[in-house]
Amino acid sequence: MRDIDNIVVRARPNPRASRTLVCLGFCGGGSGGYLPWADVLPSDVELATICYPGRDGRFLDPYAEDWNALAEDALAAVTAAASLRPYVLFGHSMGGWMAADVASRLERRGGPLPEALVVSSANAPSRGLTPRDMFPSRQDSDGGLVDWMRVNGLLPDYVLDDPDLREMAVELMRADIRVRDTFTWAEGSEISVPLQVLTGDRDAVIAPDTAARWRALARGGFRHDELPGGHFYTPQVWAELPRHIAALAREPIGS
């Protein structure tokens, strides 16, 4: 039986919280990129990050072989994270697709749905996997992947400057790229819960029709917010990104 504490990472357990922000990871990332958000969340919100296999506390678990395997793993983890209280589901980049897929699977199977779904820096999954989404790519050299992680702030310099840690980071990135490149979106899938989409105003990955395509998938409320910066926004925006999540501020997500 898997250790749930290694799968659902709670940076600062808060038994008095009234809701949970559940975060799904981006390509090449672990829990670390989200953990500082515990400092900027409302006092009644607990942070829970989902640990994919092959990293952090699941370092010894084999990487997922394809998208469906990772989605099923994430589905079980989100279901466990949602067992305590209502929750908001968040995903960034590849994690945005994963969050949307998990929400869709939960709806089809009668699982605990989030109060809201928040996708960040992700093209609408209904477009399918396009060259725009396959960045970084499996054709990139190890040095190219390291440069991408350094520029986009995925990992601190002490990791990327250490040969052994850098090698592990590249291996993890390549494993996630392989999974991402098998992504498919179930035709006809829609999102029934309120949906908020966040994008950067200088993100070259995001297609011009992203907001419209996400809106077409939303059967509940829809909201699009454009924030300063590129794929990971500006450092200041990223550090305080939960402040832009409407459901946590109890702001309406319009139609």
Side-chain angles (χ1 to χ4, degrees):
M1 184 175 180
R2 297 183 302 174
D3 183 353
I4 193 62
D5 290 333
N6 288 334
I7 300 171
V8 181
V9 181
R10 301 181 188 275
R12 190 175 300 160
N14 182 2
R16 293 179 293 180
S18 61
R19 59 176 56 180
T20 304
L21 175 64
V22 179
C23 298
L24 289 164
F26 44 83
C27 188
S31 299
Y34 295 141
L35 295 182
W37 289 357
D39 294 330
V40 299
L41 286 173
S43 60
D44 65 336
V45 177
E46 182 181 74
L47 176 68
T49 64
I50 302 304
C51 181
Y52 298 150
R55 67 210 76 197
D56 301 333
R58 303 182 67 188
F59 178 76
L60 297 179
D61 291 351
Y63 296 122
E65 294 182 359
D66 56 28
W67 182 272
N68 185 65
L70 186 59
E72 286 295 311
D73 187 279
L75 174 67
V78 170
T79 300
S83 64
L84 296 180
R85 60 183 70 90
Y87 71 104
V88 173
L89 186 59
F90 173 91
H92 179 81
S93 193
M94 184 183 92
W97 281 358
M98 185 59 69
D101 193 348
V102 166
S104 178
R105 292 176 191 234
L106 285 168
E107 181 164 3
R108 293 197 299 269
R109 301 179 191 184
L113 293 176
E115 292 186 325
L117 171 65
V118 185
V119 294
S120 169
S121 295
N123 287 311
S126 55
R127 297 174 72 246
L129 186 68
T130 72
R132 182 187 290 269
D133 305 301
M134 300 170 72
F135 185 85
S137 77
R138 63 176 66 197
Q139 286 77 34
D140 288 337
S141 66
D142 288 356
L145 292 179
V146 169
D147 289 344
W148 194 89
M149 287 186 279
R150 196 185 299 275
V151 168
N152 286 279
L154 296 185
L155 292 171
D157 286 342
Y158 78 83
V159 172
L160 297 177
D161 291 339
D162 181 284
D164 292 334
L165 295 178
R166 184 171 62 242
E167 182 179 358
M168 288 190 289
V170 169
E171 179 185 358
L172 173 57
M173 176 64 81
R174 291 201 182 280
D176 281 356
I177 288 172
R178 288 193 296 272
V179 166
R180 181 205 63 196
D181 288 356
T182 65
F183 168 77
T184 58
W185 178 250
E187 187 175 354
S189 294
E190 296 178 314
I191 298 167
S192 65
V193 300
L195 170 64
Q196 182 181 11
V197 174
L198 304 173
T199 57
D201 62 6
R202 297 191 300 278
D203 187 356
V205 175
I206 297 302
D209 62 350
T210 291
R213 282 186 172 271
W214 275 113
R215 182 187 291 274
L217 296 177
R219 287 193 282 117
F222 176 82
R223 171 171 173 159
H224 173 226
D225 292 280
E226 190 173 69
L227 305 176
H231 199 59
F232 282 81
Y233 311 110
T234 66
Q236 182 177 359
V237 169
W238 179 260
E240 299 183 347
L241 199 64
R243 300 189 191 279
H244 297 279
I245 297 178
L248 298 184
R250 303 189 185 278
E251 297 177 4
I253 297 178
S255 58

